Each structure stands twice: as structure tokens, then as C-alpha cells.
Amino acid sequence: MSRTPAHRSRVVVIGAGIVGCSLADELTARGWTDVTVLEQGPLPAPGGSTSHAPGLVFQTGPSKTMTEFAAYTVQKFSSLEVDGLPCFNPVGGLEVATTAARWADLHRKAGLAASWGVRGELLTPQQCKQLWPMLDETKLHGGFHTADDGLARALLACRAQMERAAGRGARFLERHTVTGIEREDGHVTGVVTDRGTFPADHVVSAAGFWGPVIGAMAGVDVPLLPLAHQYATTEPLPELAGVNDPHGGTPCSSEAESLGEEASKPILRFQDRDLYFREHTDRIGIGSYAHRPMPVDPFTVPAFDEAPVMPSSLPFTEDDFAPSWQDSVGLLPALGESRVAEGFNGVFSFTPDGMPVLGESRELRGFWLAEAVWVTHSAGVARAVAEWMTDGRPAIDIHECDLYRFEDAQRSPAYIEDRGAQNFVEVYDVIHPLQPMEQPRPLRTSPFYARQQELGAYFLEGGGWERPHWYEANAPLADGLELPERDAWSARYWSPIAAAEARATREKVALYDMTPLRRLEVTGPGALDFLHRMTTNNLRKKPGAVTYTLLLDETGGIRSDLTVARLAPDRFQVGANSPADLDWLLRHAHGGTSRSSGAESGGGVQVRDITSGTCCIGVWGPLARDLVQPLTRDDFSHEGFGYFRAKQTYLGHVPVTAMRLSYVGELGWELYTTADLGLRLWDTLWEAGREHGVIAAGRSAFNSLRLEKGYRAWGADMTAEHNPYEAGVGFAVRTDKEFVGRAALEGNETPKRKLTALLLDDPAANVLGKEPVSVDGAPAGYVTSASYGYTLGRCVAYAWLPPLATGTGVHIEYFGEKIPATVADEPLFDPKMTRIRR
């Protein structure tokens, strides 16, 4: 927290690109007026990525958060002007499909647009040509037009926001190169430059691809990779002569460009060849992602005065662009009479998952990151960071962008380079929701990995972990199963074996690898009081109790859901979701830490991540007790080992912590041991289970089973944007105790929206998530999670909708088709919980 009253907090923003200028405007608008923005280059075009950005703003994408960032950027820049020139040109966007796969993907994108509230329309090839007469419409399957997208004039937007922020008290200082970050007692105190030191209570790194350089000065890792991206401009084209206003334009790619440049046609994306196009009055600008990745070391980028053009502009490599030029001519034949007049390779930032890096460092309090942000999302990101700084949290959920979302194994320079480069290659690819990155794999494996390989596990990846989704060894169990035929999209990364594994779990017993789920240990004499205050449910129970509970923020939003096992009076094992949960607990524990995954002590509380040193097997199914009981002398009967209880025991030779929990709706236990004994635990259970027909089962079956029971997945079904009553987890809230977020819940017990269970009417229909849902023909919400329920014989979908009565009919849009579904009571399977409690 700031050491001075909020309205007098001294803020230093490093970088006067579009993010830094937007942030200064947002902060000063909220009353934080002591803001200094330091820039190493000249203003208003200092030579970073903003100075050469082509300004494309396409709002729609798979991420609701990123779409909201872009939507606010459009809204804000549309309201700004400089000298009568608007900062946003709403020419719209047009994505064209030259392959059947892309055309199908544009239908899916139209669904995303509807889910997130973006206006969009699918067009015929002829309609596309009407918007872009130069197109060869015979090459097209169709297009997707978004009328509210357009071109952000980044440098003008910087100027407009600089003027507003300066009018409220902010100052912008050019030619100030940051050389160091000062700190005291774990808190930032100032920024050192070649022209003096600037005291600060808060420092924000908005340095773009120089982020890792600034981060190194602060001792904070900034997981981004700068890469060069090709951009070329044609000679003047007769087809564009006199089409665009020669006097109404503004600078779009550099301050040196004439104010006469303008565009009237939609931004054109030719993603099948990794290309985009925009007008520059009588020329066309062409951007290409089709070339090899060109990583740039941010520590070797020259200063502004030493760069041939500007630091972010590297020499154009013509050979890399040659195939893209031919592809451009193929789509726009008129280019065959032209040529590339000029080009450059512009530098900008990529992260391992393609998302920005936002938030305050825990290691150096008061040091914030607003990095890896493109112009498209700049104003939205700035608003979120300003809200975070001034109000304590952003108004929208940004867990996908949180600085602490990455695992330690994902923060190595080698990983960042591999994944950043792959994200560049795939920036315009059709990406399936389950599609894993190719490299580096395998990175993290459970102790059971060798046995899983022997069983023919089909692995996907998450958080660096290899996760079995099904096992080819179970293929004979799928013979004879009557399953509806799947469409090509839902059949990707799926196998009918998953149905067999789900059935075996319901009828016999299965082993599930739960090792990738995060485990924290909270110990010390203050552990109980700390966790009781941090979470919503009652934790004042005797050792051996397990409690489902929630982490809320101060506004009552769900930061995470947890299972907390009290193993001893002062020792708890916490089942969490992401590295950000550890960060949240460490920030609220007393004292400080210098390690992102280390223990934090103070006030009698220690918090540490034990995931890597431990492992877990879920043993679930009606025969789970028959398998486990003979391996131990302890009583595993229902009377001796009740539901939501924990017991430390031995299974064979292996010491385990057994918790009677079930995420699949069947009798069973989560069995934890140390990583060195994990393989022995697997083999012990496997040998004992042979007579009971035990199988290994994967996450595909697991997801189906958990949705049949209505068990929520944090990050998909519920986030910080939702409170417990809306999300259907109000049962985990005890209002007779104090906890973080309690005050915000008062009066919000009656939700205006609900996470709603839907059953698709057609037994053959499937959806996967993020599809729009309409009620009475009008958009009403969107799907969060979905999977075919093999026990129910229907696809199960959960969706955020207004409160609706059971039996209400709705429609889910899937690749342009309106699929009927019905609101159902939950849980859909075993509502009396008889199968778990037996």
C-alpha cells in the first residue's frame, strides 16, 4: 500500500507510449494528480512500438477480458481529438476466409462477438467485394464484418491524453533514460534517470518491449519476448486515387507521415496467409506474420539517437516478405501492377500465452507492470491498472493477465522465448480451445508419467503439466458404445474412449492423476485465524475436517475456490487453483517474502507451495472402497471416514494423506503423497485394483463427470466478476463471521444473473464453451463450460444468464446454428448425493 494518502501518492510512469499516456490520463481523472511520465525518447513520438503501430483495433477474440479492453479503447479514443482531428477512425473490420476451415472459424468468431456484445455480421463473397472492391471474390468463402472496429491513431491519442493529464497536474518529461529503481524495506521509493532521481510511492513500468530491462533494475521478472513484425507500404495505386480524403487524415504509423493520409475501407485481415491490409490514402499498408520469428534482445536495442530510424524500427528483410507479397497479389490482383515502396520490421511484445502482464510486484511493493500491451487494448488496460492502483481492484476480471499467473517453470528465459515465438507463429491460426503448445514438451510430468505412457495416454498440456485426457489402453471398453457422431470441431482432441472411461468410473473404479492441481501448505500458530479471516466458510473445525470455501476480494468477487484440510491444529493443506492464489495469500499474510514460491512468515503464519514435491491420485467409483480398504489398517468405511474428512495413513508401504472428496460425483478419495513415493502409490493401487477392473481415466471423462454434478471450475465458470450467490456457491459463505469481502455481499443475496445449467435438447448436439445464448430470440448470456454428459445422454452446458425458471427454452449459437437447450435443475446427476455418501 502507498505510504502517503492516496490523493497525494507520487506516481512515476516509465514510458510515454500509448499505455503510459493512457495510464496518466486515467490516474489523473481519478484524482491521483502527482504523476510524472518519464520517456527516454522525444515526445510525442519517442520511438517505441506506439510510434510505428498501424493502429488496428479488432475487438473480438476468445478472451472476454481482452475484448472488453479493446471495446473501451474504441469508446475512449472515439471521444478524443487533437486540433479537430479524431483519434479513432471507425472504418470497421473485415476478415475474409479463403478456406473452409477459416470460414467455419469466422462463424465461431461471430459467436464470440455475440457473446461479448460486439456488433458483427457474416458476409457473402460479393458483400465482401462491395466493402473492398480490389478483392478477388472468387477466392473467398465469405467474410466477417465488424462495423465498430477501426484504426486507432495512436500518436494522436497519446497527444490528446497527455494534454488532458497535464491539465490535471501530470508532467511528461522526454529524454530521460531510466538507469535504476530505488527501494527501501521492500517498497519502491524512486526512479533514477540520467537527468536526476524522481521520488515515488508507485512506479509503473509501461516501457513496452523494454519492460524486461526496467524489470531487471527492479529485480522483477517481466515474461515477454520482443519480436520483429514486417510492415510494408505499396506505391500509389490508381484504384485508390481520390477515394480517400486527402486533407482529413492523421498520422497512423509515424509522426513523419503526412496529415493527408486516411482510410475509408475496413481493415482487411487475410488470416489464411497471416496478412492484414489497411489504406494509407492512395497506398496500401501490408502487415505480415507469415515470416520466421525474429526475436530481439531488449537489452541491445539502440537508443533513439543511435537508431537509424527509431529504436523499434529495424531494416526491412525483403526475402522474408517475398512470399507474403505474392499472397497479397493473389487476394488483391491490382497489387500486381505495383510494388513495395518502403517497409520496416517493427518490434513489439509477445508473452508465453499471448496476454498482457499486469499488476503489482509482491517482491517490490509499489512497483507495477503494464507490459506486453498492444494499441488495440491500451486504453482498456490503462483503465484497469488505474482502478487497481486507486480502488484496490479492476472493475473487470483480469486473472488471464495477472503477473502471477505463470508457474515458476514458465518464467525461464528459454520458455519465454520458445512460447513467445510460437505465439507469433500462431497469431492468426485457427486455434482450438484444447490445442496445446508444441514446445517445450514434456516439461512437467507427474511421478506416474511412465505408467501413463505405457497405457497409451493422450496428453494435452496445461500450466506446463502433461495431462492425460484419455488412455488408448481403454479403447476396447469403447467398443459397442452408442455415441452420437461429432462434428469436426468438437471431435478434435476427443476420443470415444472418454465415454468408456466415464462409464467405468460410474460403474467400477478409476484412477485419475490430480497432481497438476495446486497444493499450498499453511502452518504456524496463526494459521487458523489467518485462513478463517481470508475465506468465506467456517474453518474452526477439529483436525481431520475438510472444508470447501472461497477466496473473495474486497468487492465480494470470487478470486478462487479452495478445499482446506485441517491436518493438525496448526497445519492446513489448501487445494487452490493458480499461482495467483499463493500470491493473494502471501500478500495478506504478515511479513514479507523475496521468493515467488517461497514461504512467508510473520504473525505466526507460513505459506508455501508444495505442489512440485507432492502428487495426488483420485480413486473414484462405486468400488473405490473395495480397492483402498484392504491396503490400510485404518477404517475407510462411511462411518469411520466420512465425506469431507481427511486422514493421514498408509496404503501398503506408502504414507498418504487421504481426503474423502469427489469432483466426479462418485465414492472415493484424493490420495496425496510425496513425489518420490508417487510411482509406488500408483503401482500399489493398480495392483490392488486389478480384481475390481480398475482403469486409468483422463481429464476428458473427468470434465464430463464434474459437469453432470454441477461442480464449478474457477476461471471458466466463475471469476472475480461474480459473487457467490450468482455463481451458485453461496452455501460456502458463512455471514456470521468476518472475512475479506463480507461487507460487499450484504444485500446481494438475490442475484440478477445466475450460472445456469442447460441440457441440449438434441442428443447429438455439442457445444464447447463461450457460445452466445439467446432467450426469446434476444442475446442473453454466454456458455462458460460444456461437455457431453455420457451418463445423461445429453451435452451439458453452464451459462451466465438472467434468472430463468426450470424448463425455460433457450438457444445456443454454435457455428451459426441455433441449437435448442433447456434450463435444468442441478445437480443433473444424483441430486440426493447418495453415490458419494455411501
Side-chain angles (χ1 to χ4, degrees):
M1 300 298 294
S2 170
R3 294 181 172 185
T4 59
H7 67 280
R8 293 204 301 271
S9 291
R10 299 165 299 179
V11 180
V12 174
V13 178
I14 301 172
I18 191 63
V19 178
C21 292
S22 297
L23 180 59
D25 183 51
E26 295 287 339
L27 284 172
T28 55
R30 287 165 174 77
W32 282 30
T33 55
D34 190 351
V35 176
T36 300
V37 182
L38 302 175
E39 175 52 58
Q40 63 181 341
L43 294 174
S49 299
T50 300
S51 300
H52 66 66
L56 281 64
V57 178
F58 278 87
Q59 298 172 78
T60 306
S63 167
K64 179 174 179 285
T65 297
M66 296 296 275
T67 298
E68 290 178 328
F69 284 160
Y72 181 71
T73 301
V74 170
Q75 174 190 332
K76 183 176 186 181
F77 289 1
S78 295
S79 70
L80 299 176
E81 61 178 38
V82 176
D83 299 331
L85 300 174
C87 295
F88 187 78
N89 184 0
V91 294
L94 176 63
E95 302 175 60
V96 295
T98 59
T99 64
R102 181 68 61 181
W103 184 225
D105 190 58
L106 292 186
H107 282 76
R108 186 173 68 97
K109 183 162 284 186
L112 290 171
S115 290
W116 312 146
V118 178
R119 197 160 56 110
E121 181 184 12
L122 291 164
L123 303 181
T124 66
Q126 293 72 29
Q127 290 172 313
C128 293
K129 188 173 180 64
Q130 289 175 4
L131 291 174
W132 258 86
M134 293 172 63
L135 279 169
D136 180 357
E137 77 277 18
T138 66
K139 301 282 182 67
L140 305 184
H141 289 255
F144 178 53
H145 180 227
T146 45
D148 300 321
D149 291 337
L151 295 166
R153 295 163 172 135
L155 291 181
L156 273 190
C158 283
R159 287 176 56 191
Q161 294 178 103
M162 286 171 62
E163 291 173 6
R164 292 206 313 193
R168 302 184 190 114
R171 56 178 176 165
F172 294 78
L173 303 179
E174 62 181 0
R175 300 289 187 173
H176 281 67
T177 300
V178 174
T179 59
I181 305 295
E182 292 189 332
R183 71 197 79 183
E184 181 180 342
D185 297 330
H187 199 287
V188 70
T189 59
V191 177
V192 182
T193 76
D194 57 352
R195 298 176 65 177
T197 298
F198 296 83
D201 303 299
H202 297 272
V203 173
V204 185
S205 177
F209 61 79
W210 284 285
V213 178
I214 302 300
M217 297 179 191
V220 175
D221 291 334
V222 181
L224 69 80
L225 175 71
L227 286 145
H229 159 60
Q230 292 198 298
Y231 193 82
T233 308
T234 68
E235 293 179 323
L237 297 168
E239 292 80 2
L240 296 180
V243 172
N244 297 312
D245 181 0
H247 302 296
T250 61
C252 295
S253 61
S254 80
E255 188 72 359
E257 289 187 294
S258 164
L259 287 179
E261 291 182 322
E262 184 53 283
S264 59
K265 297 180 182 61
I267 311 160
L268 179 64
R269 289 211 283 196
F270 181 21
Q271 292 161 302
D272 288 321
R273 290 294 184 270
D274 297 311
L275 293 168
Y276 64 83
F277 307 87
R278 57 148 297 177
E279 295 170 291
H280 293 281
T281 308
D282 59 352
R283 303 167 186 254
I284 289 180
I286 307 170
S288 172
Y289 294 97
H291 53 83
R292 60 190 168 88
M294 303 177 187
V296 175
D297 184 351
F299 292 87
T300 63
V301 175
F304 186 92
D305 293 327
E306 298 171 359
V309 180
M310 66 177 81
S312 62
S313 180
L314 304 181
F316 190 62
T317 48
E318 294 182 3
D319 289 345
D320 289 306
F321 193 75
S324 292
W325 177 255
Q326 294 304 316
D327 288 334
S328 300
V329 172
L331 184 70
L332 306 172
L335 296 184
E337 302 300 319
S338 184
R339 66 180 183 86
V340 172
E342 56 184 345
F344 65 97
N345 291 358
V347 182
F348 64 145
S349 303
F350 281 80
T351 60
D353 59 5
M355 303 293 282
V357 179
L358 312 177
E360 182 188 15
S361 167
R362 190 179 67 255
E363 293 81 3
L364 182 58
R365 300 301 296 272
F367 183 81
W368 296 77
L369 296 179
E371 297 291 9
V373 182
W374 297 3
V375 171
T376 304
H377 310 104
S378 55
V381 164
R383 178 177 66 171
V385 173
E387 291 168 341
W388 207 343
M389 295 175 70
T390 60
D391 301 334
R393 74 179 289 269
I396 66 172
D397 172 67
I398 62 166
H399 78 273
E400 295 172 311
C401 310
D402 193 293
L403 165 62
Y404 288 96
R405 70 187 182 272
F406 294 112
E407 306 280 351
D408 285 348
Q410 296 174 305
R411 304 185 74 93
S412 71
Y415 185 95
I416 293 166
E417 183 167 349
D418 285 348
R419 291 293 172 103
Q422 188 66 21
N423 268 304
F424 179 92
V425 170
E426 295 180 350
V427 70
Y428 277 171
D429 285 3
V430 176
I431 302 295
H432 192 277
L434 293 176
Q435 183 173 331
M437 281 283 194
E438 295 177 0
Q439 296 295 332
R441 291 183 64 194
L443 180 62
R444 306 177 79 186
T445 59
S446 77
F448 328 126
Y449 185 63
R451 297 294 183 265
Q452 292 166 343
Q453 288 179 304
E454 291 168 4
L455 293 170
Y458 185 89
F459 292 101
L460 298 179
E461 181 264 354
W465 288 100
E466 294 296 316
R467 299 183 175 193
H469 274 244
W470 64 82
Y471 294 85
E472 290 296 330
N474 297 324
L477 300 178
D479 292 343
L481 286 182
E482 294 185 5
L483 297 172
E485 186 175 347
R486 289 201 166 210
D487 65 278
W489 187 250
S490 66
R492 290 185 66 184
Y493 305 106
W494 174 85
S495 168
I497 296 172
E501 293 176 358
R503 180 176 179 178
T505 307
R506 292 277 189 241
E507 295 180 352
K508 293 183 178 181
V509 62
L511 306 185
Y512 287 83
D513 181 2
M514 306 301 289
T515 301
L517 299 185
R518 181 161 305 278
R519 292 171 292 285
L520 309 178
E521 184 180 71
V522 182
T523 58
L528 174 59
D529 289 341
F530 172 67
L531 286 173
H532 195 67
R533 173 173 58 86
M534 291 301 300
T535 67
T536 60
N537 214 333
N538 176 34
L539 299 185
R540 297 194 185 282
K541 302 174 183 177
K542 294 180 180 179
V546 182
T547 305
Y548 177 81
T549 188
L550 307 171
L551 284 180
L552 305 184
D553 62 25
E554 288 80 359
T555 67
I558 304 171
R559 284 193 56 95
S560 188
D561 63 340
L562 313 174
T563 53
V564 179
R566 191 176 190 186
L567 303 180
D570 59 356
R571 182 162 68 91
F572 296 80
Q573 181 171 309
V574 178
N577 284 296
S578 81
D581 294 345
L582 173 65
D583 174 60
W584 181 255
L585 293 175
L586 288 177
R587 287 179 188 274
H588 285 81
H590 300 292
T593 182
S594 60
R595 299 183 307 160
S596 63
S597 60
E600 178 163 344
S601 60
V605 181
Q606 297 83 42
V607 183
R608 69 188 186 103
D609 191 327
I610 61 171
T611 309
S612 297
T614 56
C615 59
C616 178
I617 299 175
V619 182
W620 290 310
L623 302 183
R625 184 176 287 117
D626 298 301
L627 189 160
V628 175
Q629 183 63 80
L631 298 174
T632 179
R633 296 180 179 179
D634 285 309
D635 185 0
F636 271 56
S637 70
H638 182 61
E639 295 74 20
F641 197 156
Y643 192 52
F644 267 86
R645 299 291 298 173
K647 187 176 292 188
Q648 292 176 296
T649 184
Y650 290 87
L651 295 183
H653 297 90
V654 182
V656 301
T657 298
M659 298 186 196
R660 190 166 168 202
L661 306 174
S662 177
Y663 206 52
V664 300
E666 296 292 337
L667 170 69
W669 289 264
E670 293 179 359
L671 303 173
Y672 299 88
T673 192
T674 52
D676 59 321
L677 290 167
L679 189 59
R680 184 59 177 262
L681 176 61
W682 179 281
D683 289 344
T684 299
L685 294 169
W686 188 260
E687 186 60 32
R690 284 178 181 269
E691 62 179 292
H692 305 294
V694 71
I695 67 162
R699 291 189 66 84
S700 187
F702 177 87
N703 197 46
S704 171
L705 296 169
R706 71 99 180 167
L707 281 169
E708 290 183 333
K709 284 297 293 181
Y711 293 143
R712 278 57 169 151
W714 184 85
D717 298 318
M718 57 190 186
T719 70
E721 290 186 0
H722 311 111
N723 73 43
Y725 305 113
E726 297 172 326
V729 290
F731 63 86
V733 177
R734 290 286 298 268
T735 55
D736 59 351
K737 56 166 270 191
E738 290 297 325
F739 55 84
V740 174
R742 179 183 180 277
L745 294 183
E746 294 179 0
N748 289 318
E749 293 85 355
T750 303
K752 296 180 181 178
R753 58 181 176 176
K754 289 184 64 178
L755 186 62
T756 305
L758 303 175
L759 274 177
L760 275 61
D761 295 352
D762 182 354
N766 273 290
V767 297
L768 298 183
K770 301 187 178 181
E771 296 89 357
V773 183
S774 58
V775 179
D776 295 330
Y782 60 91
V783 174
T784 58
S785 295
S787 178
Y788 200 84
Y790 301 110
T791 317
L792 303 173
R794 293 284 193 281
C795 181
V796 179
Y798 272 78
W800 279 105
L801 293 168
L804 298 172
T806 300
T808 301
V810 303
H811 284 88
I812 303 173
E813 183 177 329
Y814 183 70
F815 287 90
E817 180 184 357
K818 301 285 188 179
I819 298 177
T822 302
V823 174
D825 282 329
E826 54 174 334
L828 302 169
F829 176 78
D830 188 26
K832 295 184 179 180
M833 304 286 282
T834 56
R835 298 176 71 89
I836 292 177
R837 295 188 172 99
R838 60 180 175 182

